[in-house]
Amino acid sequence: QVQLVESGGGLVQAGGSLRLSCAASGRTFSSRIMGWFRQAPGKEREFVGGISWSGGRTDYADSVKGRFTASRDNAKNTVYLQMNNLKPEDTAVYYCAASSRLQSDIKRDYDYWGQGTQVTVSS
């Protein structure tokens, strides 16, 4: 069992930065890949980025490549999403999720989800 709690969301102007954190509880945290997803009003939840259990591999949606960076600290059971050069279209609720797979950008492959944190980017 893994429980996830996101934090770090907020209101920022376009071009600004935020760092999201996802604190996990559960003995198997370090063996799971972690993903970040987001959901804007009226839209489907979409993959943003993911990071392997070792942190050695990361994957990103094309829309955030070069701007967002995922990292993790297994000693702290925490995953991060550094978001730079934010755009109004990045406005959404951001979720972290855990999967036992080796790699995935598909929602259904993720077993555990946090409650989400709101990110709002003003123009």
Side-chain angles (χ1 to χ4, degrees), residues 61-115:
D62 289 342
S63 59
V64 306
K65 280 182 182 176
R67 301 188 297 123
F68 290 12
T69 303
S71 61
R72 68 190 295 167
D73 184 339
N74 288 342
K76 295 182 179 180
N77 282 0
T78 302
V79 175
Y80 305 96
L81 184 68
Q82 178 67 43
M83 306 185 295
N84 297 328
N85 190 22
L86 283 160
K87 303 176 181 180
E89 51 264 43
D90 295 318
T91 295
V93 177
Y94 283 70
Y95 300 88
C96 68
S99 171
S100 58
R101 291 181 176 266
L102 294 177
Q103 184 274 334
S104 177
D105 59 1
I106 301 174
K107 288 181 295 184
R108 64 174 179 268
D109 288 340
Y110 286 79
D111 309 300
Y112 301 99
W113 293 82
Q115 84 290 348

Side-chain angles (χ1 to χ4, degrees), residues 24-46:
S25 61
R27 294 180 298 171
T28 59
F29 170 76
S30 63
S31 65
R32 295 179 180 268
I33 62 168
M34 299 297 295
W36 286 96
F37 290 76
R38 67 186 180 187
Q39 188 166 18
K43 294 188 176 181
E44 293 288 320
R45 191 172 299 187
E46 64 176 1

